[in-house]
Amino acid sequence: MNVHGLLEEPDVSALIDLEEEIQRLKKDLNAVILAHYYQESEIQDVADFIGDSLQLSQQAAKTPADVIVFAGVHFMAETAKILNPSKQVLIPDLKAGCSLAEGCPPHLFRRFKEKYPGHIVISYINCSAEIKAMSDIICTSSNAEKIINQIPPDQPIIFAPDQNLGRYLIKKTGRNLVLWSGICIVHEMFSEKKLVQLKVLHPHAKVLAHPECEPRVLQHADYIGSTSGILNYVKQSSDHEFIIATEAGIIHQMQRACPDKTFIPAPPEGDCACNLCPYMKLNTPEKLYLCMKNRAPEITLDEDLRLRALRPIQRMLEMS
Ligand code: 13P
Ligand code: SF4
């Protein structure tokens, strides 16, 4: 008991070897663990595959496993379920959402769409199955530009739900996209002022940024790309110092791949840990173990909705 008379939290790792148990359950269930780069490092270390949103959905589409354990946020696990209706898809914490998905409610998006007849809808994968079902094509940050460039130039396009990625794509493709005004609460928080101060302190550092950042941050970037794009840049670069303007969880893979290089997380506006995604960090190694042991929480979907959401995802996979 602690001084307040409450039970102290038990140290689970002192009772069982979590990693060993997770590996055992993986074999028992014939499961695959897919993890996003923003997951905490202990989760990344037990995963079978670590990737960005596109790579994770490609893996989910081709896995021979019976059970997919998705260490990521809800829309990612839901995409895996849309692609694999007969497989069980588990997620360590069902409440691991995303501000972009939550900021685009289907009833409001339906009305928004009605204002722009004749437009096709390209939606960023960071959205709910309902929004996917209202879309023509899904994209991720690594294939959005390629997909937009395949659309005939006279075809008007709505892009949802991330306005920063949308603005970046307008600049890159020269297309006049109609944007839904959603934001990522993590990438929106980077401070331009502190980033510029860091550049002065580290004049040789390259700034690498995710396109979900605001334009005032992106203007200082030497490279803009998806999480896997940023990681590949670091691996191939002859530079030794990098300022990373995306969720800091990705630095784990950078340090593993390039132990001699230095990675500085871009600072958020306040004195907070706002460069960590609060949704991604709801998943913990303990919850990962428990979801495999209990085979819950599980992602379930209405079959009609699944089929409507599947079409635009398949189009993305074909066009990538
Ligand atoms: P990536 O597809 O680049 O991994 O991005 C996912 C995400 O949620 C970014 O915030
Ligand atoms: Fe969503 Fe942003 Fe978290 Fe990515 S980092 S899951 S976009 S809230």
Side-chain angles (χ1 to χ4, degrees):
M1 296 280 245
N2 65 15
V3 284
H4 303 292
L6 298 171
L7 282 176
E8 277 175 14
E9 275 185 29
D11 179 3
V12 183
S13 55
L15 302 173
I16 57 168
D17 184 331
L18 271 183
E19 191 181 334
E20 204 177 283
E21 284 302 302
I22 289 170
Q23 299 299 352
R24 183 184 62 74
L25 284 166
K26 206 159 67 176
K27 277 204 201 101
D28 289 356
L29 302 179
N30 187 26
V32 64
I33 302 178
L34 306 180
H36 189 266
Y37 291 122
Y38 297 165
Q39 290 293 285
E40 60 179 77
S41 47
E42 288 81 358
I43 294 183
Q44 294 188 33
D45 290 346
V46 294
D48 297 294
F49 185 84
I50 313 156
D52 70 8
S53 307
L54 177 63
Q55 293 167 331
L56 291 171
S57 46
Q58 286 166 334
Q59 285 295 321
K62 68 179 186 201
T63 181
D66 295 322
V67 176
I68 299 173
V69 184
F70 213 114
V73 289
H74 190 274
F75 75 81
M76 295 177 175
E78 192 172 61
T79 303
K81 183 66 183 176
I82 293 167
L83 288 161
N84 293 285
S86 61
K87 293 186 200 290
Q88 185 173 40
V89 179
L90 303 171
I91 183 167
D93 192 319
L94 209 49
K95 291 187 291 302
C98 168
S99 64
L100 282 166
E102 288 167 13
C104 192
H107 68 290
L108 294 182
F109 189 66
R110 186 168 297 110
R111 266 192 255 158
F112 180 77
K113 231 184 111 170
E114 280 164 10
K115 285 201 280 179
Y116 302 98
H119 286 58
I120 62 159
V121 178
I122 301 184
S123 292
Y124 190 31
I125 197 163
N126 299 37
C127 65
S128 64
E130 287 84 354
I131 299 297
K132 289 186 175 75
M134 282 188 243
S135 308
D136 297 284
I137 313 169
I138 299 303
C139 70
T140 74
S141 50
S142 51
N143 61 18
E145 192 181 338
K146 186 174 177 187
I147 287 177
I148 291 173
N149 285 335
Q150 291 174 61
I151 307 298
D154 55 344
Q155 170 61 61
I157 303 171
I158 293 174
F159 184 82
D162 186 26
Q163 64 175 3
N164 287 330
L165 176 60
R167 286 192 193 121
Y168 171 72
L169 291 167
I170 290 173
K171 219 168 139 189
K172 290 295 279 184
T173 63
R175 299 291 289 257
N176 182 25
L177 310 175
V178 175
L179 303 180
W180 175 268
S181 58
I183 54 137
C184 159
I185 52 165
V186 179
H187 291 85
E188 185 80 357
M189 288 301 281
F190 291 118
S191 159
E192 187 204 359
K193 188 174 165 197
K194 290 185 188 172
L195 176 64
V196 174
Q197 286 169 345
L198 260 186
K199 280 182 72 142
V200 173
L201 285 173
H202 301 271
H204 302 297
K206 288 277 180 288
V207 177
L208 315 181
H210 196 281
E212 287 176 16
C213 293
E214 289 191 320
R216 63 200 170 101
V217 167
L218 292 181
Q219 68 176 324
H220 300 288
D222 296 290
Y223 172 79
I224 299 169
S226 67
T227 50
S228 61
I230 293 174
L231 182 59
N232 287 339
Y233 185 99
V234 160
K235 287 180 186 168
Q236 285 160 18
S237 172
S238 54
D239 291 294
H240 282 87
E241 220 180 359
F242 305 89
I243 299 170
I244 308 298
T246 190
E247 214 271 11
I250 194 171
I251 293 178
H252 181 56
Q253 291 305 320
M254 294 176 174
Q255 284 167 334
R256 281 183 67 171
C258 310
D260 300 334
K261 297 184 179 178
T262 304
F263 306 103
I264 307 159
E269 205 68 66
D271 287 328
C272 57
C274 310
N275 57 355
L276 299 178
C277 174
Y279 302 102
M280 287 276 182
K281 266 44 181 189
L282 280 177
N283 294 334
T284 61
E286 289 80 9
K287 289 183 196 170
L288 176 65
Y289 159 71
L290 286 174
C291 89
M292 295 174 77
K293 180 170 167 274
N294 301 330
R295 298 188 73 155
E298 179 181 1
I299 304 283
T300 54
L301 262 177
D302 169 76
E303 182 59 7
D304 174 59
L305 173 61
R306 186 191 74 79
L307 288 172
R308 285 185 288 119
L310 177 63
R311 249 181 319 126
I313 298 173
Q314 281 173 332
R315 283 195 78 187
M316 168 183 85
L317 295 173
E318 286 155 19
M319 292 169 87
S320 295

